[in-house]
Amino acid sequence: MAQSKTTLLITDSAGSPVPNATVEIQRSGSFSANARGLLVFYSNERAPVPALVTSVGFRPLRTVLSLPDSFITIRLERNDLFLDPVEIRAIRAGGQSPFAKTNLSKGEIEKLNLGQDLPFLLNQTPSVQITSDAGNGVGYTGIRIRGSDASRINVTVNGIPYNDAESQGTFFVDLPDIASSLNSIQIQRGVGTSSNGAGAFGASINLSTNEYNEKAYAEINNSFGSFNTRKHTVKAGTGLIGNHFTVDARLSAVASDGFIDRASSHLKSYFLSGAYISKKSTLRVNIISGHEKTYQAWNGVPESKLFYDQDKLTTHYYNNIGTYYFTPEDSANLFNSNARTFNGFLYENQTDNYQQDHYQAFFNHQFDTNWSFNTAVFLTKGKGYYEEFKKDAKYSSYGLPNFMVGNETVTRTDLVRQLWLDNNFYGGIFSLIRKGAGNQLTIGGGWNQYDGKHYGRIPWAMMGIPKNFQNYYYEATK
């Protein structure tokens, strides 16, 4: 009851509302205005309070709010450079669009970013459910929106498609700590806008890294948590050099032992972006790279372990995994571990290993106050493998004849296999936008192609198979 209500109206010099501006108020926190430039907040302050107001395309404004005051108007001065992120506007729903949506600003993302995968940052937004293989949000995670799985959620990074071209799923583990480079996120629930392909049935998640920083900066961020979880991030940017150039960079490392037994993750990534900005055009190049190594934790707990049926566990599970790599300590851990954290894959390199590199180039141009155009070309390269131990594998399952030892025919052997992916996804997108006083028309499209290779290797076998034998090879084109 001691708090007073204050409404801020943020406009440009002509009095038009500035949508989604960010307001950082000392001792109160960071807030985002709505699409009409309005921000309502409550405070118990009874004195002038410093505030910083920022929005893309406008000069940052440091001001002092006289509290309590029921209504305050703040006017921002436009930057004379072309800074409006057209590639974002072309795929995002505006304030008056009839779509259910949630916007997260840079400040809100920073509050939530502790090193967990991107779905965990979106967990508190409406209609979102998340899962984590390792149990603590580091490593492989899953997301559903309105009950629809990731194959029905259209994810874009700066307007460029991110969904896997074959499975249509999204694997955010391949871009560790991408949240540290994001300036904004929009989630559209249900069928929403799209200028880069068919609209998604479940939802759309639009990620943006392409908003600029006017001043130079440098940051070191470290997070530590349960299960030996830690995140280390170094960020730096030049700000605007010579009123035209800007460069931003980030280097990240995330690791965790996981809540589940043997569910460790070792993740690394970097981000590099450079841009040239003039009054009517921008040219930007991004390189985003991520590498992940995660222990196998996506299989569920066997029923026999969950209900402590040791006879079934021995017969149906332990014997099938094999004892070749087991020590007495491993065997004890298998039977004595907590059912809620159980993972029976004791082969020390039962891991998923993958690197994904994104190369993006954008050109935006504004013809006049109404017409603007953007285009982008991209290449996403991915390569990696999943390695696992197989006990008593049949030679015939790997396209090989049985192995002869003297007069005895051997039909099975223990082996280690790797399942490899090597793929390229490339193409381009474009959008032409006409913005009137009360309407906006967006025409967009894209072309892309996916070339993928699937092949298997056997780096080790007990007998009868040459080292690094390639047992299959398939190509995929989409």
Side-chain angles (χ1 to χ4, degrees), residues 84-101:
D84 197 10
V86 183
E87 69 275 7
I88 301 303
R89 192 172 68 196
I91 61 169
R92 289 196 173 178
Q96 305 303 317
S97 302
F99 304 109
K101 59 187 179 297

Side-chain angles (χ1 to χ4, degrees), residues 315-336:
T315 304
H316 299 298
Y317 194 80
Y318 179 74
N319 287 349
N320 289 333
I321 289 182
T323 59
Y324 185 79
Y325 289 95
F326 282 27
T327 66
E329 182 182 0
D330 290 332
S331 302
N333 289 337
L334 184 68
F335 290 112
N336 297 329

Side-chain angles (χ1 to χ4, degrees), residues 19 48 56 102 124 132 145 216 222 235 260 263 266 314 342 390 440:
V56 174
T102 298
Q124 299 304 314
S132 170
I145 300 180
N222 298 282
K235 297 170 57 178
I260 305 296
H266 296 276
T314 302
F342 178 81
K390 302 293 288 185
Q440 177 174 304

Side-chain angles (χ1 to χ4, degrees), residues 217-295:
Y217 66 94
E219 297 179 16
I220 298 177
N221 300 314
N222 298 282
S223 302
F224 301 89
S226 303
F227 317 111
N228 201 25
T229 303
R230 59 271 187 203
K231 177 181 84 80
H232 309 291
T233 304
V234 178
K235 297 170 57 178
T238 62
L240 202 57
I241 301 174
N243 213 33
H244 287 293
F245 297 94
T246 178
V247 178
D248 297 276
R250 172 185 56 83
L251 189 63
S252 300
V254 182
S256 177
D257 292 343
F259 170 73
I260 305 296
D261 299 329
R262 293 168 294 282
S264 60
S265 299
H266 296 276
L267 317 175
K268 297 181 291 185
S269 70
Y270 71 85
F271 170 83
L272 181 63
S273 179
Y276 171 81
I277 306 170
S278 66
K279 290 186 177 181
K280 296 209 170 199
S281 301
T282 65
L283 176 64
R284 179 181 292 273
V285 176
N286 294 339
I287 301 176
I288 312 172
S289 179
H291 180 273
E292 60 90 8
K293 181 173 185 176
T294 55
Y295 207 105

Side-chain angles (χ1 to χ4, degrees), residues 46-307:
R46 295 293 185 272
V49 177
L52 173 65
V53 185
T54 57
S55 182
V56 174
F58 295 85
R59 297 188 182 279
L61 175 66
R62 294 190 180 275
T63 186
V64 175
L65 305 179
S66 298
L67 301 179
D69 194 340
S70 59
F71 193 89
I72 300 173
T73 299
I74 296 175
R75 296 186 184 277
L76 297 182
E77 179 186 352
R78 284 192 177 273
N79 196 308
D80 58 359
L81 296 176
F82 180 45
L83 300 173
D84 197 10
V86 183
E87 69 275 7
I88 301 303
R89 192 172 68 196
I91 61 169
R92 289 196 173 178
Q96 305 303 317
S97 302
F99 304 109
K101 59 187 179 297
T102 298
N103 293 311
L104 294 179
S105 66
K106 183 176 182 179
E108 293 169 316
I109 295 169
E110 289 175 344
K111 287 181 183 178
L112 299 170
N113 183 22
L114 299 175
Q116 293 172 302
D117 217 350
L118 190 65
F120 275 69
L121 274 69
L122 310 179
N123 186 30
Q124 299 304 314
T125 58
S127 304
V128 170
Q129 301 86 37
I130 61 171
T131 57
S132 170
D133 289 354
N136 66 336
V138 179
Y140 273 91
T141 56
I143 186 170
R144 287 176 177 264
I145 300 180
R146 288 186 173 180
S148 296
D149 66 17
S151 66
R152 293 168 176 82
I153 299 173
N154 182 22
V155 180
T156 58
V157 180
N158 301 319
I160 290 174
Y162 182 68
N163 293 63
D164 180 79
E166 289 188 296
S167 71
Q168 288 302 303
T170 49
F171 304 98
F172 294 109
V173 69
D174 296 332
L175 288 181
D177 199 29
I178 183 63
S180 290
S181 294
L182 294 179
N183 296 103
S184 63
I185 302 173
Q186 184 181 83
I187 307 168
Q188 300 173 23
R189 297 179 292 279
V191 178
T193 62
S194 177
S195 65
N196 64 343
F201 172 77
S204 297
I205 301 176
N206 310 136
L207 310 176
S208 169
T209 68
N210 279 2
E211 299 172 31
Y212 104 119
N213 297 284
E214 185 179 26
K215 294 184 178 181
Y217 66 94
E219 297 179 16
I220 298 177
N221 300 314
N222 298 282
S223 302
F224 301 89
S226 303
F227 317 111
N228 201 25
T229 303
R230 59 271 187 203
K231 177 181 84 80
H232 309 291
T233 304
V234 178
K235 297 170 57 178
T238 62
L240 202 57
I241 301 174
N243 213 33
H244 287 293
F245 297 94
T246 178
V247 178
D248 297 276
R250 172 185 56 83
L251 189 63
S252 300
V254 182
S256 177
D257 292 343
F259 170 73
I260 305 296
D261 299 329
R262 293 168 294 282
S264 60
S265 299
H266 296 276
L267 317 175
K268 297 181 291 185
S269 70
Y270 71 85
F271 170 83
L272 181 63
S273 179
Y276 171 81
I277 306 170
S278 66
K279 290 186 177 181
K280 296 209 170 199
S281 301
T282 65
L283 176 64
R284 179 181 292 273
V285 176
N286 294 339
I287 301 176
I288 312 172
S289 179
H291 180 273
E292 60 90 8
K293 181 173 185 176
T294 55
Y295 207 105
Q296 207 281 39
W298 50 83
N299 278 2
V301 176
E303 184 181 22
S304 52
K305 179 63 181 177
L306 190 63
F307 295 104

Side-chain angles (χ1 to χ4, degrees), residues 391-428:
K391 179 178 173 58
D392 289 337
K394 292 182 179 179
Y395 288 106
S396 58
S397 298
Y398 295 85
L400 292 168
N402 293 332
F403 186 63
M404 300 297 298
V405 180
N407 295 324
E408 182 180 354
T409 301
V410 179
T411 61
R412 297 173 180 265
T413 184
D414 294 347
L415 57 84
V416 173
R417 70 176 185 178
Q418 295 177 346
L419 288 70
W420 279 82
L421 293 174
D422 186 353
N423 44 61
N424 294 312
F425 181 48
Y426 51 93

